[in-house]
Amino acid sequence: MPKIFAMKNSRNVFVLLFVHATLCLERVRWCTVSQQELSKCNDMRKAFAGAGILPPLECTEGASAADCTQMIKDYLADAVTLNGRLIYQAGKEHGLKPVVGEVYDQEIGTSYYAVAVVKKGSNITINSLKGITSCHTGINRTAGWNVPVGYLIDSGRLTAMGCDLPKAVSEYFNASCVPGANSVNYPKSLCQLCKGDLSGQNKCQGNSQEQYYDYSGAFRCLAEDAGAVAFVKHSTVPEYTDGKTLSSWAQNLRSQDFQLLCRDGTTADVTEWRTCHLARIPARAVVVRPDTDGTVVFQLLNQGQQRFNGAGTKFQMFDSTAYGAQNLIFRDSTTELVAITSQNYKAWLGDEYLHAMEGLSCDPNTLPESLNWCVVSTEEIWKCGEMATAFRKKNLKPEIQCISAKTKEECMELIQKKESDVVTLGGADIYTAGKTYGLVPAAGESYSADDNSNAYYAVALVKRNPSNAFTISDLKGKKSCHTGLGRTAGWNIPIGMLMKKGIIKPRDCNIPQAVSEFFSASCVPSANQDNYPSKLCQLCIGDDSGNNKCSASSQERYYSYSGAFRCLAQDSGDVAFVKHSTVFENTDGKNTESWARNLKSSDFQLLCRNGARAEVTQFAQCHLAQVPAQAIMVHPDTNIFAVYGLLDKAQDYFGNDSNGNGFKMFDSSTFQGKNLIFKDSAVEIVPVKERRTYKEWLESEYIESLEGMQTPQCSGSGNKLIQQHLLVTTVVSFLILYQLQDLD
Ligand SMILES: *[C@@H]1O[C@H](CO)[C@@H](O)[C@H](O)[C@H]1NC(C)=O
Ligand SMILES: *[C@@H]1O[C@H](CO)[C@@H](O)[C@H](O)[C@H]1NC(C)=O
Ligand SMILES: *[C@@H]1O[C@H](CO)[C@@H](O)[C@H](O)[C@H]1NC(C)=O
């Protein structure tokens, strides 16, 4: 009952917060990270006190900015100014919030834009960076490393096995210059393009001795054709071209010879950085605890900046020269401080930067020792064991361990409790995993383009008939052909959709009865059991001698995809619920059986959800739902880039085209099973890209059908959910009452 603990905890925390919130209005303890910063802070404290600005400022010392965020969380300090990356970490790990932002020359909240620059004649795009040469301002720098690397990981282009980012980058680009990546821990190719100083010494130093260091250096690396792409900021090209600089290397450079790579795969003029960039870099901001009143902090600083910014006072808030350093407490280029109304770190950072930081959060230090893969059968345990051994032999990280459970649902529960990490799931299970257990997709399967058994659209197929062009709204009273009872394209998706839309309304949860009353007659193979309405089998024809009518086997000639299609083709039914490829597989000479031999695909049409009819070739736009690929599901705290990084590396060795490495990821025959861990028909593990939740993975049409079938009154699992919900609600209300009494 984790909820109960959570309630108790939050009550204790509430009491703590209350005490400290009161204190925090009495003073603001500013966290500083150097002696110079401490001196400036003390001067600021005196200046503010002299001007009667309240609450009083105090200065504390932290070992680093990251240390300061920990101190703030622990109530040892109250405020610190952080850059974007640290705002991300402070927000994500400690729940701290930004309340006051710095403003520079750019628009509010913006430091600058990180861009990727190439030469105009090259046909490089953001999608063709792999294998080319690259120039970076320096290791771990924002525009030169953090943003491009984070962006490439987050978008699924760059994979980092074991979250070893330098290694991943060195394998992604053919060669690079990343000044500062010159210690033994870094792959050699990251320094390969660097130039060193005038005598060729100090190659790859993380300072100006390396001629390709910093913004100007990375751009020079591109301009001199050492690298084919440079990761710099939006102002770099304008600053070093068209005669703007005296540097000899830049004398003849023209800005029009360069262009920017946009995120959507296009390119743009170097002046178009506002719309074509990798990320907007957020301005630095003051962060505080969630319980601190941000308005008070802003008012304090706002009174300060009104008195101590500009001529006439000794203390200057936005100047650090008096202390022999730069950017103390605030960046020296700050023109103004503004209140951050959202007080939300994600909103302050912005989507682009946030995503880059998420990609960058693939960190070897937080990587689990092993990834516990949940499996559900003896055969699957066997294959999982072999997979773990095979991966270990290739030194793939993190290592796999196999955990067995009785059912997929038990796996979901184990993952929710963090007793397991990974499970592969298909359609309806992905829904349960997401909705009930909060799991998210980390990677997906992909099947070959001509594989219609796994990646397909469920469609409603009809005959072309100009005199009777009925639509999806006119299905009532029509005769229907289904692949079989409980099957995805033939039953679950169409019936679920019709129920969700309220077109079929079951009484007393009797779905078969409702379907039999909706259509005038049907063939639903396998609906021949007792207490099923006989109309569901009425159109079925059985085998050649009329036996086995309505059986779920090929003895029923209207069974499965081709059977349901035959039911329509022979005019037994008006509509067939099949997949998009069924019509192509059985017409235009593809099926030589006598009933199909003369059929033409153009004699058939699709019913679209919007009430239109479309040609059978337009299935991508006109379908009932797309059946989703299987996904590798994990706890939301698990780093999905670490999971995908492992599987992507693994498929280099053990994917489909591999031979000679023994183990095969997409083959279960050795283990006497089918579709163990992965589907046998999978050809590749793919990144989730922007489909980060179960809803995005499944898409709304498919979810609608699932929910139609699971209307709470009508399904066992639905009932269970409601009961659980009631139970939780009861427990929570009880706790609240209990707490209120307790506090009195
Ligand atoms: C353009 O791209 C093609 C492949 O996409 C490549 O073969 C060719 O070398 C490229 N041309 C230039 C000038 O980079
Ligand atoms: C760059 O950042 C990584 C990760 O934070 C760190 O391990 C590494 O030491 C840094 N490299 C340099 C040269 O500072
Ligand atoms: C990659 O770099 C090597 C030298 O390090 C070079 O021989 C090769 O042609 C390069 N490949 C590409 C695709 O640029």
Side-chain angles (χ1 to χ4, degrees):
M1 296 249 108
K3 295 248 174 200
I4 295 184
F5 290 124
M7 294 302 295
K8 282 191 173 163
N9 278 341
S10 61
R11 183 173 133 252
N12 291 341
V13 169
F14 178 74
V15 174
L16 268 178
L17 297 188
F18 186 75
V19 171
H20 282 277
T22 330
L23 287 180
C24 141
L25 293 174
E26 290 169 5
R27 58 178 176 170
V28 172
R29 292 165 298 174
W30 206 279
C31 193
T32 62
V33 297
S34 67
Q35 278 310 308
Q36 292 119 316
E37 201 166 66
L38 182 62
S39 310
K40 181 173 174 185
C41 183
N42 279 323
D43 286 350
M44 184 160 87
R45 174 175 63 82
K46 285 178 213 144
F48 281 22
I53 299 174
L54 288 172
L57 202 57
E58 289 180 15
C59 303
T60 60
E61 287 173 84
S64 64
D67 185 42
C68 283
T69 63
Q70 181 72 45
M71 287 170 65
I72 293 173
K73 182 189 165 236
D74 295 340
Y75 291 90
L76 299 171
D78 302 308
V80 68
T81 318
L82 299 179
N83 66 21
R85 190 169 187 192
L86 287 160
I87 294 172
Y88 173 79
Q89 283 166 3
K92 193 171 162 167
E93 285 162 27
H94 304 316
L96 305 193
K97 61 178 184 183
V99 293
V100 179
E102 294 182 347
V103 177
Y104 324 111
D105 246 355
Q106 307 301 325
E107 69 257 47
I108 285 179
T110 306
S111 286
Y112 55 88
Y113 289 82
V115 296
V117 186
V118 297
K119 286 205 164 165
K120 210 164 238 170
S122 75
N123 54 6
I124 296 166
T125 72
I126 196 76
N127 298 315
S128 64
L129 291 179
K130 195 168 183 174
I132 70 162
T133 47
S134 63
C135 308
H136 307 254
T137 57
I139 187 77
N140 291 351
R141 293 196 37 172
T142 304
W145 181 267
N146 294 348
V147 165
V149 173
Y151 169 71
L152 291 171
I153 291 178
D154 184 78
S155 60
R157 292 175 172 92
L158 172 59
T159 57
M161 200 267 291
C163 291
D164 186 342
L165 306 191
K167 185 150 189 285
V169 173
S170 79
E171 289 171 3
Y172 188 76
F173 294 116
N174 191 347
S176 309
C177 176
V178 187
N182 53 353
S183 75
V184 287
N185 305 325
Y186 290 101
K188 289 221 161 23
S189 77
L190 295 184
C191 286
Q192 195 176 321
L193 306 180
C194 292
K195 195 171 186 172
D197 58 24
L198 290 173
S199 55
Q201 304 296 304
N202 294 306
K203 214 176 140 175
C204 207
Q205 287 285 322
N207 58 42
S208 54
Q209 288 180 297
E210 165 58 57
Q211 295 180 73
Y212 287 168
Y213 172 69
D214 209 351
Y215 298 111
S216 62
F219 179 53
R220 180 174 178 182
C221 163
L222 169 71
E224 293 180 349
D225 286 323
V229 61
F231 298 104
V232 291
K233 62 178 171 181
H234 69 281
S235 55
T236 308
V237 179
E239 275 169 34
Y240 291 93
T241 51
D242 305 334
K244 297 277 169 47
T245 172
L246 297 174
S247 314
S248 57
W249 62 270
Q251 281 313 296
N252 300 315
L253 298 179
R254 299 181 310 169
S255 61
Q256 69 195 56
D257 295 333
F258 298 90
Q259 61 190 8
L260 304 177
L261 304 183
C262 316
R263 300 158 63 99
D264 64 3
T266 60
T267 55
D269 201 82
V270 293
T271 57
E272 303 289 315
W273 46 267
R274 261 179 213 283
T275 50
C276 177
H277 51 252
L278 299 185
R280 180 188 69 91
I281 311 299
R284 289 171 22 126
V286 178
V287 303
V288 298
R289 266 182 312 282
D291 60 323
T292 302
D293 187 346
T295 328
V296 173
V297 178
F298 174 68
Q299 280 162 0
L300 167 76
L301 294 171
N302 193 35
Q303 291 176 67
Q305 71 179 344
Q306 283 165 10
R307 286 179 177 75
F308 304 109
N309 180 22
T313 58
K314 182 158 162 286
F315 176 72
Q316 287 293 318
M317 267 173 80
F318 307 133
D319 187 351
S320 310
T321 43
Y323 312 93
Q326 289 181 329
N327 305 324
L328 302 175
I329 307 180
F330 304 106
R331 207 182 266 176
D332 297 334
S333 56
T334 304
T335 55
E336 188 192 356
L337 297 174
V338 290
I340 299 176
T341 45
S342 71
Q343 301 201 7
N344 172 307
Y345 80 95
K346 290 186 176 179
W348 181 253
L349 298 180
D351 259 1
E352 299 159 357
Y353 187 80
L354 190 67
H355 273 289
M357 288 304 107
E358 274 165 12
L360 212 61
S361 70
C362 186
D363 175 352
N365 298 320
T366 58
L367 209 60
E369 194 107 319
S370 64
L371 214 51
N372 295 331
W373 206 293
C374 192
V375 289
V376 295
S377 68
T378 329
E379 294 81 13
E380 217 168 50
I381 297 170
W382 184 11
K383 181 174 177 183
C384 183
E386 294 291 309
M387 179 165 91
T389 310
F391 285 15
R392 195 174 308 124
K393 281 198 186 129
K394 296 290 178 193
N395 211 11
L396 303 184
K397 291 275 157 38
E399 290 195 356
I400 298 278
Q401 286 195 349
C402 308
I403 297 240
S404 77
K406 286 195 198 66
T407 61
K408 295 274 191 191
E409 187 137 0
E410 197 179 312
C411 285
M412 300 173 201
E413 206 177 323
L414 288 172
I415 295 173
Q416 186 188 41
K417 291 193 285 189
K418 299 196 175 179
E419 288 168 20
S420 176
D421 299 307
V422 188
V423 65
T424 316
L425 298 175
D429 285 336
I430 295 177
Y431 179 82
T432 310
K435 182 149 179 127
T436 310
Y437 297 95
L439 311 193
V440 296
E445 291 183 351
S446 145
Y447 315 100
S448 74
D450 50 354
D451 174 1
N452 299 317
S453 56
N454 293 290
Y456 64 86
Y457 297 93
V459 297
L461 195 65
V462 294
K463 277 200 170 167
R464 183 192 297 280
N465 182 351
S467 66
N468 183 18
F470 64 90
T471 72
I472 202 147
S473 327
D474 311 319
L475 283 178
K476 190 167 169 58
K478 294 280 181 300
K479 291 176 291 173
S480 63
C481 309
H482 305 255
T483 57
L485 188 68
R487 293 185 45 158
T488 305
W491 182 264
N492 293 346
I493 287 181
I495 303 304
M497 185 206 78
L498 292 168
M499 282 172 41
K500 181 80 181 182
K501 288 193 180 305
I503 296 172
I504 293 183
K505 296 193 195 83
R507 272 171 288 127
D508 307 327
C509 303
N510 192 336
I511 298 175
Q513 182 65 35
V515 174
S516 79
E517 286 168 16
F518 181 75
F519 294 112
S520 60
S522 307
C523 176
V524 187
S526 162
N528 53 353
Q529 302 142 30
D530 294 346
N531 69 39
Y532 272 68
S534 61
K535 269 168 76 187
L536 295 182
C537 287
Q538 193 178 323
L539 303 181
C540 296
I541 55 172
D543 59 23
D544 287 335
S545 45
N547 294 321
N548 296 304
K549 213 175 139 176
C550 208
S551 81
S553 75
S554 55
Q555 288 172 303
E556 165 57 63
R557 284 171 291 169
Y558 285 173
Y559 172 66
S560 200
Y561 298 109
S562 61
F565 176 66
R566 181 173 178 177
C567 166
L568 170 72
Q570 295 185 326
D571 289 323
S572 296
D574 303 311
V575 58
F577 297 107
V578 290
K579 55 187 176 188
H580 71 276
S581 55
T582 307
V583 60
F584 306 114
E585 286 157 5
N586 292 286
T587 55
D588 304 334
K590 294 277 169 42
N591 183 340
T592 54
E593 287 175 56
S594 58
W595 65 269
R597 200 177 297 147
N598 298 317
L599 297 174
K600 287 188 299 199
S601 60
S602 57
D603 290 337
F604 296 88
Q605 284 188 311
L606 303 174
L607 300 185
C608 315
R609 296 167 61 98
N610 65 3
R613 278 186 170 218
E615 298 310 315
V616 290
T617 49
Q618 293 173 302
F619 55 84
Q621 293 78 43
C622 175
H623 52 252
L624 302 184
Q626 182 170 20
V627 174
Q630 287 209 125
I632 288 110
M633 302 291 291
V634 300
H635 191 281
D637 290 350
T638 301
N639 190 293
I640 62 169
F641 308 111
V643 176
Y644 174 62
L646 166 69
L647 294 173
D648 186 52
K649 194 67 166 181
Q651 66 188 350
D652 285 352
Y653 297 113
F654 309 111
N656 258 2
D657 297 333
S658 73
N659 33 35
N661 282 317
F663 180 76
K664 290 201 183 90
M665 283 165 76
F666 310 127
D667 185 348
S668 307
S669 54
T670 321
F671 312 98
Q672 286 151 24
K674 271 189 176 164
N675 302 324
L676 303 174
I677 305 180
F678 307 107
K679 277 206 176 166
D680 298 334
S681 52
V683 294
E684 199 185 357
I685 301 295
V686 293
V688 292
K689 300 201 176 154
E690 68 284 356
R691 294 161 74 189
R692 298 287 165 91
T693 64
Y694 78 97
K695 283 188 179 168
E696 287 161 338
W697 188 261
L698 298 176
E699 298 188 5
S700 60
E701 296 160 351
Y702 183 81
I703 290 182
E704 202 172 277
S705 295
L706 279 181
E707 289 179 344
M709 286 310 258
Q710 296 184 351
T711 43
Q713 315 90 295
C714 290
S715 85
S717 69
N719 282 333
K720 217 163 57 196
L721 275 179
I722 286 185
Q723 280 161 12
Q724 269 172 14
H725 183 73
L726 285 175
L727 184 66
V728 169
T729 318
T730 318
V731 171
V732 169
S733 338
F734 171 74
L735 276 172
I736 290 170
L737 277 175
Y738 170 78
Q739 281 177 338
L740 289 176
Q741 285 161 5
D742 201 38
L743 286 171
D744 281 344

